Amino acid sequence: MNLIIFGPPGAGKGTQALKISDKYGVVHISTGDILRSALKNGTELGLKAKEYMDKGELVPDDLVIGIIKDRIKEQDCRNGFLLDGFPRTLPQADALDSMLSAEGMEIASVVSVEVEDSEIVSRILKRQQEEGRSDDTEQVVQNRLQVYRNQTEPLRGYYEDKGKLSEVDGIGSVEEVFSRIVEAIG
Ligand code: AMP
C-alpha cells in the first residue's frame, strides 16, 4: 500500500509517519530528511538545497522529483511506502502520478493532518528548542507556512478530486491523532 501524509509544517507528520510505517509495514520516505542528510554529508544535492531550506522556501521541483524517482524504485519500496513532505506542489504531484503509473503503482490514500496556524507556530518554536533545526526560527516558520498555504495546500483539492483525500484533526495526543489516521486509512 502506498500512502501520502500531508499537512502544514509542525502538524506532527514526522511522528505520525513513523507510527504509520510501523503499523502498515511500509517504508517511510521523507524528502526533508533526505535533504537534511544530504546537507550534513556536504553532497552536491545538499549544497543546492541549502539556500532554499534556510529561507523556508521550496527546493526546486526537479531536485525533489529526482530524489523520489530514484527512491521508489528501490527494493524496499515493493511492499509499499509512505511519502512525507512530498509532493508539495502540483507539478510534483503530476510527476508522482506519471512515475507511479509507469511502474504500475498507485497511491491508495492521502491523509491530511489539519492544524491551525497559531498552534503550528508555537509547536515549531518548541521543536526548535528541542531539536535545534536551523529552519525553525519564527521568521522562517512564518515563511514556510505561507509557502505551504500558497503552493502545497492546493494539493488537497487535487487529491480530493481523485477521491483519495482523508482529513484528520491533528489536535490531540499522538495516540489520539494516530487512531484517527488508522480509521481514515481503513
Ligand atoms: P520538511 O522536513 O518536510 O519540513 O522539509 C524541510 C525543507 O526541505 C522544506 O522547508 C523545503 O525547503 C525542503 N523540502 C522538503 N521536501 C520538499 C519538497 N517536496 N519540495 C520542495 N522542497 C522540499
Side-chain angles (χ1 to χ4, degrees):
M1 180 164 56
N2 303 319
L3 302 165
I4 295 176
I5 186 162
F6 180 79
K13 292 191 300 293
T15 308
Q16 296 297 338
L18 294 178
K19 293 178 72 68
I20 297 168
S21 68
D22 200 36
K23 180 173 172 73
Y24 294 92
V26 293
V27 179
H28 173 212
I29 303 175
S30 154
T31 40
D33 284 351
I34 294 171
L35 292 168
R36 276 185 290 278
S37 131
L39 200 71
K40 209 168 131 201
N41 295 326
T43 66
E44 200 184 323
L45 171 68
L47 292 176
K48 276 189 195 156
K50 184 177 169 24
E51 56 175 307
Y52 301 95
M53 293 174 79
D54 281 349
K55 286 187 277 187
E57 303 283 341
L58 293 184
V59 170
D61 285 336
D62 57 338
L63 284 185
V64 279
I65 290 169
I67 292 175
I68 292 294
K69 209 170 193 164
D70 293 340
R71 186 65 187 86
I72 64 170
K73 282 187 189 151
E74 283 178 38
Q75 190 72 21
D76 61 351
C77 289
R78 292 266 175 91
N79 292 329
F81 52 79
L82 169 67
L83 297 177
D84 165 11
F86 182 94
R88 256 176 157 104
T89 63
L90 287 169
Q92 290 179 23
D94 276 333
L96 177 65
D97 274 353
S98 322
M99 64 179 100
L100 288 179
S101 58
E103 302 286 327
M105 298 164 149
E106 65 167 358
I107 294 296
S109 187
V110 179
V111 176
S112 171
V113 182
E114 315 274 322
V115 180
E116 279 174 18
D117 283 11
S118 55
E119 170 76 15
I120 288 168
V121 175
S122 63
R123 282 193 193 186
I124 298 192
L125 294 177
K126 193 167 158 239
R127 180 170 75 186
Q128 185 206 12
Q129 286 172 350
E130 288 165 3
E131 297 175 18
R133 255 178 70 163
S134 63
D135 60 349
D136 277 350
T137 62
E138 182 147 12
Q139 198 192 342
V140 175
V141 169
Q142 294 287 4
N143 194 30
R144 282 164 63 207
L145 261 179
Q146 190 83 20
V147 166
Y148 176 78
R149 299 291 177 214
N150 293 339
Q151 299 190 58
T152 306
E153 205 152 48
L155 291 181
R156 286 172 76 203
Y158 179 92
Y159 286 111
E160 200 165 21
D161 289 349
K162 293 178 186 283
K164 299 207 164 163
L165 189 79
S166 304
E167 291 173 0
V168 166
D169 179 3
I171 303 287
S173 69
V174 168
E175 289 306 326
E176 277 164 350
V177 176
F178 183 59
S179 63
R180 289 177 202 139
I181 292 176
V182 170
E183 206 174 308
I185 292 173

